[in-house]
Amino acid sequence: MSIKFNIFPEKGTSWRTMAVFLLACVIGLGFFMIKEAKVVSYLSDDPQACVNCHVMTPVYNSWMHSSHREWAKCNDCHVPHNNIVNKYFFKAKDGLYHASVFTARAEPDVIEMKEASQKVVQNNCIRCHVQQVTQAKYDGWLEGHQENRTGRQCWSCHKQVPHGKIHGLSTIKFNIAPLPTDQEEMVIPAWLEKKIKE
């Protein structure tokens, strides 16, 4: 005499129908959230992806008025460039942290970089400006850079770079960063522009 064990209920049972329905709901909500959060845009190097979060608009606006705008995009400074795996791992880790903070409405009045981000930005400053911080031929005219050029954070002296003259609480909380004068440069996220036209 053999005993058959059937761990799955029959096809017509309500348990199976409910499980399929709940699974479809979870998958559907997942795809909806991916679309609404514009997750695919974060895989690019387009600075417009940063203003998907409205909190970053003043930071973006100040970058638009900086000397770095012509040479460096957000990812050139804020993600590592030693290899592609590390670049996208750091973007994902940082992005998930930002998403959780913004979703919970727990963003601080003044956005500051965490220690890991500070290291990345510092390495990228040196990567782009390696001649100015390491070559002896600049000793005569780089006042104060003779000693320990790479041992301190670049922004300890260069506070205006690359996010302009307006910093701190007023930039983030009140969004008074200067707006671009040219209409083509106007920073209005696509989702907001769509709502304005409605």
Side-chain angles (χ1 to χ4, degrees):
M1 180 171 153
S2 65
I3 301 173
K4 293 183 179 180
F5 291 100
N6 187 3
I7 59 172
F8 296 106
E10 298 298 321
K11 281 190 176 184
T13 65
S14 62
W15 179 88
R16 181 176 237 163
T17 305
M18 184 59 79
V20 169
F21 175 75
L22 289 175
L23 184 63
C25 287
V26 168
I27 291 171
L29 282 172
F31 280 120
F32 175 75
M33 289 174 62
I34 286 170
K35 180 192 175 293
E36 284 301 306
K38 298 178 176 82
V39 170
V40 177
S41 71
Y42 295 107
L43 297 175
S44 73
D45 283 335
D46 183 6
Q48 284 286 323
C50 296
V51 277
N52 285 343
C53 298
H54 64 90
V55 176
M56 297 306 291
T57 301
V59 178
Y60 178 89
N61 287 340
S62 62
W63 166 79
M64 285 289 289
H65 282 23
S66 76
S67 60
H68 279 69
R69 181 184 92 177
E70 301 299 322
W71 308 104
K73 296 178 181 172
C74 305
N75 286 332
D76 292 325
C77 297
H78 291 280
V79 297
H81 293 275
N82 53 354
N83 66 55
I84 194 161
V85 173
N86 196 26
K87 175 182 178 176
Y88 283 101
F89 171 75
F90 190 85
K91 279 181 80 165
K93 180 183 72 151
D94 228 27
L96 289 172
Y97 170 74
H98 292 162
S100 63
V101 168
F102 295 148
T103 301
R105 303 295 301 155
E107 64 269 5
D109 287 335
V110 179
I111 297 174
E112 295 180 4
M113 291 185 286
K114 301 289 183 203
E115 187 177 342
S117 294
Q118 288 178 7
K119 288 179 183 176
V120 168
V121 171
Q122 177 69 12
N123 288 338
N124 285 328
C125 288
I126 293 169
R127 180 176 59 88
C128 288
H129 298 283
V130 67
Q131 289 182 320
Q132 289 90 339
V133 294
T134 59
Q135 289 188 0
K137 71 180 183 179
Y138 292 100
D139 282 346
W141 61 274
L142 286 176
E143 194 70 32
H145 284 76
Q146 284 78 11
E147 296 296 322
N148 198 16
R149 290 180 180 169
T150 60
R152 57 187 162 175
Q153 293 174 326
C154 297
W155 55 91
S156 65
C157 295
H158 302 277
K159 293 177 182 166
Q160 302 295 326
V161 179
H163 290 291
K165 295 180 182 177
I166 302 174
H167 286 282
L169 180 65
S170 60
T171 305
I172 304 303
K173 194 168 187 175
F174 303 112
N175 195 12
I176 60 172
L179 289 172
T181 54
D182 185 3
Q183 187 62 29
E184 289 181 13
E185 294 179 0
M186 186 61 92
V187 181
I188 301 175
W191 63 269
L192 182 59
E193 193 169 16
K194 183 179 172 185
K195 292 284 185 194
I196 291 171
K197 290 179 181 177
E198 289 178 352

